[in-house]
Amino acid sequence: MTQLSKGANTALPTARVRVTLHWTPRPGVPDVDASALLLRAGGRVGSDDDFVFYNQPQHASGAVRHTGKTPGADSLEVDVTALPGDVERVVLAASADGGTFGQVPGLTLVATDADSGAQIATFPMEAAAETAFVSGELYQRNGQWKLRAVGQGYSSGLAGLATDFGISVEGDDGAAPQAPEPAPAAPPAPAPQTPPAAQTPPAAPPAPDFGAPQFEASAAPQFGSPPQGMPQQAPQAAPAPPPQPATPPIQQPPAPQQHQAPPQQSAGVVNLDKGRVDLTKGARVDLVKSAAPPLSNVVMGLGWDPAPGRKSIDLDASVIAYDQGGKKLEIVWFMHKKEFGGAILHTGDNLTGAGDGDDEQIKVDLLNLPPQVTSLLFTINSFSGQKFTDIQRAFCRLVDGNTGEELVRFDLSASQPATGVLMALLRRTGPQTWQMRAIGDFHDGRTVKKLVGPGQAHAVAP
C-alpha cells in the first residue's frame, strides 16, 4: 500500500478499482457525498450523463458506479476497461452538506482492488472553507492507468464544481440574487414595486490554492458575489405627543394581545378555520386561522409512487424564491439545500419513490424569510429523464412545522409525458401571512433551473 501526498501518483495494478472517502462522523460534522465526472477532450464532460453521484448512481457505460454510503464512508467503483474510448480522466469529487470540509475530521481517500479488497493507496487530506472537493483523479499515461492525489477545494459547492467541468446545474452558494433568466417562457413581469437593492459588496477572496500543478483542471471556479445586503425598511419616527392637559395624564394599560389579529380572509378564498383543506388545480387557501397567531414554520412534503411495473422512480423536489416582480432570488434543491440563513432547508433526496408518506421535504421558516421574498414555487423534476407517465400519483402537502398538523393537501390527478411539474405556490399576502395555490402544470426540464421561466408567470399572477 502506498500513502500519497498531494500531487503524487501511483499506477493501478487492477482494472477495477474502488475509491472510498472516509471521515470521522460525529454530531456537528457535515455529511459527505462522493461523486465522479468522466472528462473528455478539453477537460469537460460530454453531457450531464457523465456526472455520477447519489442522484445518478451509474454511468450509462457501467464503467463508473456509486456503490453506496455507510456512516463515515462513501464509495465509487471504476472499471477503466469499460470506460468510453474518448474518456481521458475520471475526476473523484465530493461535497459537504451542512458545513465545510474544514469541519470534517479524518478525511482520507482510500483506493482498493474492487475484486480482492487489497489496498492500493491512501491519501489523507486537509481542507478549510471549501464545500466541494476534488480528492483525486484516474488518468491514463502511456497505456497505464494511474491514480493522482489532487486535494483541490471549491468554495462554490458541488454545483460550482460540476459547472466548472461542463455540467448544466443551478444553485450557487452566494445569497445574492442573480440576473433574470434570459428569454423566459413567461411573459415579461411588471416592474417591481420594491425598494432598490443594496449595492453589491466587494467580491469574496478566492479559495486557497492547494497546489496541484499536475492537475489539468485545478483552477478554482469563479465565485459568485457575497450576499447582498437585504433592504430593510427604515423605522418610522413616532409622532410627537399632543400637549398634556393640566390634570395628571391617565396611565394607559398595556396592550392585551401579543400578536396582531389575522387579516381578513381574501374574497372567495377559504382559510384554515375548519381544518385541513384539500385543493384542486388552481384553487387557493389563506394560511390563517381566525384569532390565531400567524404560521411560523411549515414543511412542504412532496411525494410520488412508481406506476405499476416500475421498480423505482427518481424525482427531485425543489423550491424557487421570487420577488414581487417575478425575479428569481434563489433556488433550493438537492445540490443547494439551504438558503436565507436556513429559513429554507431541503432535508435530503429520495432515490426510489418507494414507501408511504413524503418522499422529500422542504422546511420553511416563514417569519425569517427576507421581506423581498414574495413567492415560493415548489417543483418536482426528474434528473434522470423519467416521465410523469411513469408515476402512479404525485402529491404535495403543507404541514405545520410546530405541531405536525397537516394543513393543506393537493393530489395531482393528471399525468403527462414531461420531466417537470410546477406543484404549488406560496404567496405572501401580508408581513406575516401567506396563501397557497395548487398549480399542477407540466413542463420539460431535468433540473429545476428549467422551470424558473415558466414559474415567473405564477409568481406575478394576481
Side-chain angles (χ1 to χ4, degrees):
M1 183 191 69
T2 302
Q3 179 165 316
L4 299 176
S5 58
K6 188 173 181 178
N9 65 78
T10 186
L12 295 180
T14 180
R16 296 184 65 248
V17 60
R18 172 176 290 214
V19 284
T20 304
L21 273 176
H22 291 274
W23 67 95
T24 304
R26 56 176 178 242
V29 172
D31 196 19
V32 176
D33 293 301
S35 56
L37 299 105
L38 285 68
L39 304 188
R40 320 287 172 128
R44 296 176 71 82
V45 298
S47 71
D48 291 357
D49 296 334
D50 290 337
F51 186 25
V52 177
F53 63 118
Y54 56 84
N55 204 41
Q56 186 167 262
Q58 180 166 310
H59 190 260
S61 66
V64 182
R65 296 188 305 118
H66 180 258
T67 58
K69 178 189 289 188
T70 58
D74 198 9
S75 298
L76 297 152
E77 283 189 5
V78 182
D79 183 350
V80 296
T81 62
L83 289 168
D86 59 343
V87 170
E88 299 178 351
R89 290 186 289 144
V90 177
V91 169
L92 307 173
S95 59
D97 181 21
T100 68
F101 275 100
Q103 300 169 286
V104 179
L107 188 64
T108 305
L109 178 69
V110 177
T112 59
D113 186 317
D115 296 317
S116 68
Q119 285 196 352
I120 298 170
T122 64
F123 173 38
M125 293 171 283
E126 295 182 357
E130 302 89 347
T131 53
F133 213 76
V134 173
S135 57
E137 65 170 353
L138 304 178
Y139 68 102
Q140 192 175 28
R141 184 67 51 83
N142 298 325
Q144 172 68 59
W145 281 91
K146 297 184 176 184
L147 168 66
R148 175 179 293 140
V150 177
Q152 173 68 46
Y154 284 71
S155 295
S156 50
L158 180 60
L161 182 153
T163 301
D164 254 19
F165 292 110
I167 298 292
S168 299
V169 298
E170 179 71 36
D172 61 83
D173 281 46
Q178 302 297 313
E181 296 287 328
Q193 301 300 316
T194 53
Q199 185 176 359
T200 304
D209 183 3
F210 289 95
Q214 302 99 324
F215 182 48
E216 299 167 18
S218 60
Q222 299 298 316
F223 302 134
S225 300
Q228 290 183 343
M230 296 177 182
Q232 301 292 330
Q233 185 176 4
Q236 297 181 352
Q244 297 297 320
T247 57
I250 300 174
Q251 183 72 26
Q252 296 294 328
Q257 295 182 338
Q258 295 181 345
H259 59 82
Q260 295 180 346
Q264 293 183 353
Q265 184 177 337
S266 304
V269 179
V270 300
N271 64 14
L272 301 175
D273 281 349
K274 295 183 179 181
R276 192 186 87 175
V277 175
D278 291 306
L279 293 180
T280 57
K281 182 174 179 178
R284 297 179 292 170
V285 56
D286 283 330
L287 302 178
V288 296
K289 290 183 179 180
S290 299
L295 284 173
S296 55
N297 294 288
V298 296
V299 179
M300 181 67 81
L302 299 104
W304 48 85
D305 288 325
R310 296 280 182 175
K311 293 184 178 180
S312 65
I313 189 80
D314 177 18
L315 300 179
D316 307 302
S318 310
V319 58
I320 309 168
Y322 294 94
D323 69 6
Q324 184 178 356
K327 179 181 178 181
K328 181 207 76 177
L329 300 177
E330 291 295 346
I331 297 176
V332 174
W333 63 315
F334 68 84
M335 279 195 182
H336 184 65
K337 298 179 181 176
K338 182 172 67 173
E339 195 47 73
F340 303 121
I344 302 180
L345 178 66
H346 193 301
T347 61
D349 189 44
N350 180 297
L351 301 181
T352 67
D356 296 328
D358 302 332
D359 288 293
E360 295 185 10
Q361 292 184 335
I362 299 174
K363 298 180 178 181
V364 183
D365 184 347
L366 296 172
L367 299 185
N368 284 315
L369 283 172
Q372 67 263 37
V373 176
T374 59
S375 296
L376 297 175
L377 177 66
F378 294 86
T379 69
I380 302 176
N381 293 83
S382 172
F383 186 88
S384 57
Q386 293 167 299
K387 307 292 186 180
F388 276 87
T389 46
D390 295 332
I391 299 170
Q392 186 175 27
R393 69 185 184 101
F395 68 88
C396 66
R397 65 188 194 109
L398 192 72
V399 176
D400 188 323
N402 294 327
T403 67
E405 177 188 3
E406 184 172 308
L407 305 173
V408 187
R409 186 180 181 95
F410 170 46
D411 288 288
L412 186 65
S413 58
S415 180
Q416 293 184 19
T419 55
V421 64
L422 311 180
M423 285 294 292
L425 182 86
L426 295 188
R427 161 91 40 79
R428 191 189 292 271
T429 57
Q432 296 182 331
T433 56
W434 295 75
Q435 183 182 91
M436 178 173 168
R437 175 186 295 171
I439 299 177
D441 287 352
F442 291 92
H443 298 271
D444 277 319
R446 292 175 56 188
T447 66
V448 63
K449 77 170 188 175
K450 296 296 184 182
L451 302 182
V452 170
Q456 285 179 317
H458 295 279
V460 299

